Amino acid sequence: MSILTVLEFPDKRLRTKAKKVTVFDKKISTLVDDMFETMYDFKGVGLAATQINVHQRVIVIDVSEEKNAPLCLINPEIIETQGTEESEEGCLSVPGFFEMVTRAQKVKIKALDKHGESFELEADELLSVCIQHEVDHLEGKLFVDYISAFKRNRIKAKLDKIHKLEAKKR
Ligand code: NI
């Protein structure tokens, strides 16, 4: 297994729309394993393949405190939503920034597991937020798209500065 590099906002590659997975082979299962390892290493609760510059519809999630409830969603589709709720979100691709975002309170999804088996899942609370956040990544969308342009540009400027400093160190 390996820990992968996570793209950071405003990297344009995060705006790529991911393609559906059609072949369930060793490559997909290695990708899923590497994504879990990367997500746990960065102490995230979710990671979409888009964030590691792989533009396939693959998501890994674990919202449990003990980090023992791995959930892999391939080609996920939100088929029902209910209510709205606002909560604070962060993202491994927007490190260090947290903002309030309004999303559906509950979602029902269908997806495939890493073997290509179809399943349905209903989620609320953090899992619901996380699923909606990660599905957005597959569409090239980020949580900062939901906040004001003023706030988004301020985050962009701060991250640009950090990225320039990091590039100098290399
Ligand atoms: Ni994210």
Side-chain angles (χ1 to χ4, degrees):
M1 290 208 281
S2 38
I3 292 162
L4 308 160
T5 305
V6 176
L7 301 178
E8 292 185 4
F9 177 71
D11 195 310
K12 287 196 167 58
R13 292 172 290 182
L14 287 167
R15 299 307 189 176
T16 313
K17 192 172 155 99
K19 291 197 169 75
K20 275 192 176 175
V21 174
T22 52
V23 182
F24 293 81
D25 54 4
K26 183 85 182 70
K27 237 176 119 180
I28 280 292
S29 94
T30 304
L31 172 67
V32 170
D33 290 346
D34 287 347
M35 284 175 63
F36 271 118
E37 202 187 6
T38 304
M39 179 188 75
Y40 288 128
D41 188 66
F42 281 89
K43 308 212 180 327
V45 292
L47 185 72
T50 309
Q51 294 176 273
I52 49 145
N53 201 27
V54 173
H55 302 288
Q56 298 198 68
R57 303 185 83 80
V58 179
I59 287 170
V60 297
I61 289 174
D62 190 341
V63 295
S64 70
E65 293 229 347
E66 303 80 12
K67 296 293 163 211
N68 58 2
L71 174 67
C72 169
L73 306 177
I74 296 180
N75 302 343
E77 280 174 62
I78 295 172
I79 51 178
E80 260 179 64
T81 64
Q82 209 186 310
T84 56
E85 200 161 50
E86 194 184 35
S87 65
E88 194 179 57
E89 290 187 31
C91 178
L92 296 181
S93 293
V94 192
F97 296 91
F98 300 88
E99 297 288 345
M100 297 303 282
V101 176
T102 303
R103 299 199 185 262
Q105 188 183 19
K106 288 182 185 174
V107 293
K108 186 174 173 184
I109 61 157
K110 67 173 187 186
L112 305 176
D113 67 13
K114 70 172 178 177
H115 308 290
E117 296 292 327
S118 173
F119 65 97
E120 288 189 358
L121 179 75
E122 282 181 52
D124 60 5
E125 300 185 341
L126 179 58
L127 183 57
S128 170
V129 172
C130 191
I131 289 171
Q132 294 173 74
H133 176 119
E134 301 310 330
V135 169
D136 269 357
H137 274 302
L138 302 181
E139 295 297 319
K141 208 166 174 188
L142 297 166
F143 84 92
V144 292
D145 299 347
Y146 294 93
I147 63 176
S148 71
F150 174 78
K151 277 188 181 171
R152 185 168 53 252
N153 287 332
R154 203 171 52 183
I155 292 173
K156 180 182 175 293
K158 284 183 183 167
L159 284 174
D160 275 339
K161 205 170 159 187
I162 291 167
H163 295 151
K164 264 182 205 147
L165 284 170
E166 280 172 356
K168 257 187 208 165
K169 272 189 233 157
R170 274 189 217 116

